[in-house]
Amino acid sequence: MSTTIQSGQVGYHVENGIGVISFHHPTHNSMPSPLLQILSETIEQASQDPAAKVIILKSAGDRTFCAGASFDELAAIEDFATGKRFFTGFAKVINALRKSPKLVIGRIQGKAVGGGVGLAAACDYCLATQDAAVKLSELAVGIGPFVVGPAVERKIGTSAFSQMAINATEWYSAHWAMERGLFANVYPSIAELDQGIHALAQNLAQSSPEAMRELKAIFWEGTSHWDQFLEERAAISGRLVLTEYAKRAIKK
């Protein structure tokens, strides 16, 4: 199954108990609102699919995992309701990953920016290549990583999250991200990354679904309020994107 929208695409298929969700957008796998909506719905579909014992989340190409929010759409925001709705898109995807009863493996083959870091952090286990540098660029355009922040902070800790959020123009290496828990392992090449992911996914597909479901619930304890919490965070970004500072920074 695949769904194409606004030059982007989300695909889903199952093989040998492994559900694979893939997304693509020609602009460095950035995510416009309609594509985020389809992605969250696809995650929910895979989560309820009895044929999928474990889920892999991946993107197309070999350079960028996800460049975050669509800047064209960001620049076009003119009112608070539109701004809040825009930032709620990533909140829906993060919450869909959080609420899935199945373990989600993130395949981070390239750079991740902003919302892309949030997607990686919301996966239960991430494997990456040495080219998968990460950056939280939101403050540099007058906003802040408010929506993805809870997922990132939960995974790497307050100190490392603060470092990324404050130094918003800095790339942090894949090995830096691994040392802080965002990635479980870093591979020299995409081919080796795929071997590692396939081996892990095969093992998990043979594991007890009930045990994995219980583990998933434990991993995400204390986040049952995130549906409302991330919506409130989206409102902060929706307000800030309308400021003159943000408008100038985004235009620049």
Side-chain angles (χ1 to χ4, degrees):
M1 181 213 78
S2 65
T3 303
T4 302
I5 190 165
Q6 283 194 355
S7 300
Q9 188 175 55
V10 176
Y12 171 61
H13 72 274
V14 183
E15 186 175 348
N16 299 323
I18 303 168
V20 180
I21 299 172
S22 59
F23 62 91
H24 165 70
H25 193 276
T27 310
H28 305 291
N29 289 328
S30 61
M31 301 293 286
S33 293
L35 205 61
L36 285 168
Q37 180 63 34
I38 296 297
L39 181 57
S40 65
E41 291 171 357
T42 304
I43 294 167
E44 291 169 357
Q45 175 191 346
S47 298
Q48 301 304 318
D49 185 355
K53 310 303 181 186
V54 62
I55 298 170
I56 294 172
L57 178 65
K58 60 183 287 188
S59 66
D62 58 6
R63 295 177 61 85
T64 308
F65 169 68
C66 179
S70 166
F71 256 73
D72 289 341
E73 192 174 353
L74 194 63
I77 294 172
E78 296 290 344
D79 61 85
F80 172 74
T82 302
K84 181 182 177 182
R85 186 164 56 248
F86 173 84
F87 289 105
T88 299
F90 271 100
K92 288 182 177 179
V93 174
I94 290 171
N95 277 319
L97 291 168
R98 172 181 68 84
K99 291 189 286 187
S100 173
K102 298 173 182 178
L103 297 177
V104 181
I105 304 169
R107 175 188 180 270
I108 318 301
Q109 85 286 11
K111 291 181 175 179
V113 184
V117 181
L119 293 186
C123 292
D124 299 298
Y125 196 98
C126 277
L127 297 174
T129 70
Q130 61 186 3
D131 299 315
V134 294
K135 177 167 68 172
L136 290 179
S137 59
E138 288 89 342
L139 186 60
V141 291
I143 310 169
F146 297 107
V147 174
V148 303
V152 178
E153 183 177 5
R154 169 187 166 273
K155 187 59 72 77
I156 68 175
T158 301
S159 178
F161 166 63
S162 300
Q163 187 176 340
M164 290 186 73
I166 291 170
N167 198 352
T169 60
E170 178 79 12
W171 285 103
Y172 295 86
S173 74
H175 287 284
W176 182 96
M178 181 177 69
E179 290 167 0
R180 284 149 185 85
L182 182 61
F183 303 149
N185 204 355
V186 171
Y187 296 85
S189 68
I190 291 178
E192 290 166 281
L193 166 67
D194 285 337
Q195 288 176 357
I197 284 182
H198 183 65
L200 175 63
Q202 278 190 315
N203 285 337
L204 291 174
Q206 301 302 317
S207 298
S208 162
E210 293 81 7
M212 289 190 289
R213 187 181 304 114
E214 293 293 344
L215 274 175
K216 175 89 178 216
I218 289 172
F219 294 157
W220 288 92
E221 276 182 350
T223 63
S224 59
H225 65 296
W226 274 26
D227 281 345
Q228 180 179 348
F229 181 45
L230 295 190
E231 184 177 343
E232 292 168 356
R233 289 293 190 89
I236 298 173
S237 294
R239 172 170 50 82
L240 288 173
V241 75
L242 299 174
T243 64
E244 287 303 315
Y245 184 96
K247 287 183 177 296
R248 288 195 304 269
I250 292 166
K251 185 176 181 181
K252 182 179 178 181

